[in-house]
Amino acid sequence: MKLIDALVGQAAGIASLRREIHAHPELNFEEVRTAALVARKLGEWGIPVHRGLANTGAVGIVHGRDGGACGRAIGLRADMDALPIQEHNRFAHASTQPGKMHACGHDGHTAMLLAAAQHFATQRDFDGTVYLIFQPAEEGGGGARRMVDEGLFQRFPMEAVFGMHNWPGYPVGTLAVSPGPVMASANTFRIVVRGIGAHAAAPHRGIDPVPVACQLVMALQNIVSRSCRPIDTAVLSVTMLHAGEATNVVPDHCEVEGTVRTFRSEVLDLIERRMAEISRHTCAAAGASCDFEFQRRAPATVNHRREAEFARRVMAGIVGEAAALPQEPAMASEDFSFMLQAKAGAYCFIGNGQGEHRASGHGDGPCMLHNPSYDFNDALIPLGATYWVRLAEAWLGEARR
């Protein structure tokens, strides 16, 4: 029997766990219940668990036939945290926590790695060690960075680390990976335009920061189109504008906030420098001033060539060449990038479909990531687990790299 067929038989039980996690979402570094569930299941399957890395992280340790004596090891990572979103779905496993939702499929990622763990518990067709990394706080919390900083790769020495994310729009039954940049860096900015407050009927007595901020928003849009090379991909989005408390008062300040996404650090350096220059000069031209803050939250996710090509060969062996797709880079970000900066590896996509899998009672919105009507497709669990198992077996089965 093929491995994927065997895992289909286990999928119902793992899907039940996935839905339990979905119904009880937890935000950054609050994944106490989820981590306890992971540790409990791994313990039931005889897999030792190290807990407490990055507060709520967990690492399962699976030794192969040799008890890990050969010293070789691979890491497989899943994220566990949810998002601060009010779920619109009304099906039985919808979120029970107001304002919290698994809108990115981390419940499914955890489930797929648990399914692989359940298989490893009885079938260890490899020499060496597989580390099952259950990471907290991917959604802006820097959980991967904390795990690395707290010694993930020193406590659990591994040759390479791999991650996977479900991807709506890619057909179910497909997997995708490519070398090079596949997810953009995540960066935020906050610009406070400081003017002089006044009565709205006498704006000449003050310096109105609102029109200055409006000019600034438009000026910032020219950076990507006029300062960056046309072949350099970048996004600069102003997403928040806050000013004033009353209709008859010119406020004394206006806040402009947003995000910048790039694939290359050189492009990011350019954008940050130009943003600071434009902000200061635009404000000075109006007699105002500004505070400029720019935070680099996560670097671009860049797959290592050898590991990405290895992962693709494994995928093709499972789903065939036609369904082992090239990975189209996305401007969304992923803090697995911190792990890839510290250790060779690759990050892949698994197709989540168009949303036809959703049960009755789902929201009216599309089944897209970070949407209140999203839900992970449980049909992915056997394929995702098969990929994890075959990847680990193939990696540890090759001569030392």
Side-chain angles (χ1 to χ4, degrees), residues 109-179:
H109 303 166
T110 298
M112 289 188 291
L113 192 53
L114 283 174
Q118 187 177 28
H119 174 83
F120 284 139
T122 58
Q123 303 291 328
R124 306 193 184 197
D125 297 328
F126 57 88
D127 293 325
T129 302
V130 178
Y131 293 116
L132 310 171
I133 305 166
F134 294 88
Q135 180 205 310
E138 188 281 324
E139 295 290 356
R145 176 168 53 188
R146 272 192 58 179
M147 292 191 91
V148 172
D149 289 346
E150 292 180 16
L152 172 66
F153 297 127
Q154 288 73 43
R155 298 187 192 188
F156 310 100
M158 59 192 76
E159 298 163 14
V161 64
F162 294 85
M164 176 163 52
H165 203 294
N166 78 97
W167 210 249
Y170 279 39
V172 173
T174 62
L175 294 160
V177 69
S178 292

Side-chain angles (χ1 to χ4, degrees), residues 122-310:
T122 58
Q123 303 291 328
R124 306 193 184 197
D125 297 328
F126 57 88
D127 293 325
T129 302
V130 178
Y131 293 116
L132 310 171
I133 305 166
F134 294 88
Q135 180 205 310
E138 188 281 324
E139 295 290 356
R145 176 168 53 188
R146 272 192 58 179
M147 292 191 91
V148 172
D149 289 346
E150 292 180 16
L152 172 66
F153 297 127
Q154 288 73 43
R155 298 187 192 188
F156 310 100
M158 59 192 76
E159 298 163 14
V161 64
F162 294 85
M164 176 163 52
H165 203 294
N166 78 97
W167 210 249
Y170 279 39
V172 173
T174 62
L175 294 160
V177 69
S178 292
V182 292
M183 302 283 275
S185 62
N187 315 278
T188 60
F189 61 85
R190 179 174 179 266
I191 306 166
V192 182
V193 179
R194 300 197 179 279
I196 298 175
H199 196 293
H204 61 290
R205 297 185 181 278
I207 298 176
D208 191 345
V210 175
V212 180
C214 292
Q215 290 178 340
L216 179 58
V217 169
M218 297 308 298
L220 294 176
Q221 301 308 307
N222 289 329
I223 295 175
V224 173
S225 65
R226 289 297 176 265
S227 294
C228 296
R229 299 187 309 167
I231 60 174
D232 286 327
T233 304
V235 171
L236 191 164
S237 294
V238 175
T239 56
M240 290 188 283
L241 196 65
H242 303 293
E245 298 175 321
T247 58
N248 61 348
V249 176
V250 172
D252 61 4
H253 72 281
C254 181
E255 298 180 12
V256 180
E257 299 184 61
T259 186
V260 174
R261 307 296 176 102
T262 72
F263 290 122
R264 298 176 56 237
S265 59
E266 297 86 352
V267 178
L268 185 60
D269 292 341
L270 169 65
I271 292 175
E272 181 180 358
R273 176 174 59 81
R274 291 293 293 134
M275 288 184 69
E277 293 170 348
I278 290 171
S279 298
R280 295 189 182 103
H281 291 308
T282 299
C283 291
S289 62
C290 73
D291 301 331
F292 179 79
E293 300 174 9
F294 195 94
Q295 292 190 333
R296 303 190 179 200
R297 297 189 175 276
T301 302
V302 182
N303 283 341
H304 296 245
R305 177 168 294 278
R306 177 181 294 179
E307 286 67 28
E309 291 175 349
F310 185 91

